Amino acid sequence: MKFSSKLSDGVHILAYVDILRDGDLSSNAIASSIESNPSLVRRMMSRLKKAGLLMSQPGKVAPKLGRSAKEISLLDVYRAIEDNQKLLHIDEKTNPQCIVGGNIQDTLTGIYDRIQADAEDSMSQISLQQIIDGILENNEKKKLSNLN
């Protein structure tokens, strides 16, 4: 099973743009931080821009947040960046003649919908600012532990 890291990378881009706003904000620099390639970063930035989470000007390497980090939720980023917005997926190829195979999709659909709604509700309550604050706090802790 392949896992998507798009949400993580989307948050990474937005946090990078905010924290390093006076530094190198090129797709090369951001890609280096993510350990990805610049074209992938540019595609993701385009999606974030389309969603109003990021602003940029043609010919200028100076992206900035589309609104304050406090106003951007993890759910906003998730909806902007993820192609398939379902967290859990049901196997559609089960044996309809089997008691389990013939009934599992209908049974799991409601359960998975409830889990999706709960996850989205939780994501809506986490701001980009909280994530940025966590990054900065962890960075300070690492600096202090390296001094000891």
Side-chain angles (χ1 to χ4, degrees):
M1 176 187 295
K2 187 176 180 195
F3 297 100
S4 172
S5 60
K6 288 180 184 179
L7 176 60
S8 175
D9 291 346
V11 170
H12 191 133
I13 290 168
L14 293 171
Y16 187 100
V17 164
D18 191 66
I19 292 169
L20 298 169
R21 68 179 68 94
D22 296 324
D24 183 358
L25 299 177
S26 68
S27 57
N28 285 335
I30 297 170
S32 176
S33 179
I34 295 175
E35 294 193 351
S36 183
N37 68 60
S39 65
L40 175 73
V41 169
R42 284 190 294 274
R43 283 193 306 273
M44 293 182 83
M45 289 176 81
S46 175
R47 292 182 83 153
L48 293 166
K49 183 178 175 185
K50 186 178 179 182
L53 304 179
L54 197 60
M55 294 187 328
S56 65
Q57 297 174 6
K60 207 172 178 189
V61 183
K64 58 184 177 180
L65 298 183
R67 50 189 197 255
S68 88
K70 288 179 185 174
E71 297 172 344
I72 297 173
S73 74
L74 191 55
L75 181 60
D76 293 330
V77 182
Y78 175 72
R79 287 184 173 158
I81 219 78
E82 285 292 342
D83 295 319
N84 183 344
Q85 296 184 3
K86 290 286 184 187
L87 295 171
L88 304 173
H89 305 278
I90 296 171
D91 184 353
E92 309 244 341
K93 295 180 182 181
T94 57
N95 181 352
Q97 305 306 313
C98 170
I99 187 170
V100 177
N103 294 289
I104 192 144
Q105 290 99 345
D106 291 340
T107 303
L108 287 178
T109 296
I111 293 167
Y112 284 9
D113 288 347
R114 200 168 64 235
I115 292 168
Q116 182 78 31
D118 290 347
E120 288 186 10
D121 182 55
S122 291
M123 286 190 279
S124 73
Q125 296 175 44
I126 299 168
S127 72
L128 178 61
Q129 188 62 57
Q130 290 171 288
I131 295 167
I132 289 169
D133 292 345
I135 291 168
L136 296 174
E137 183 178 313
N138 285 331
N139 187 56
E140 285 303 312
K141 286 179 186 175
K142 285 181 182 176
K143 281 183 187 177
L144 291 174
S145 70
N146 288 338
L147 293 175
N148 297 330

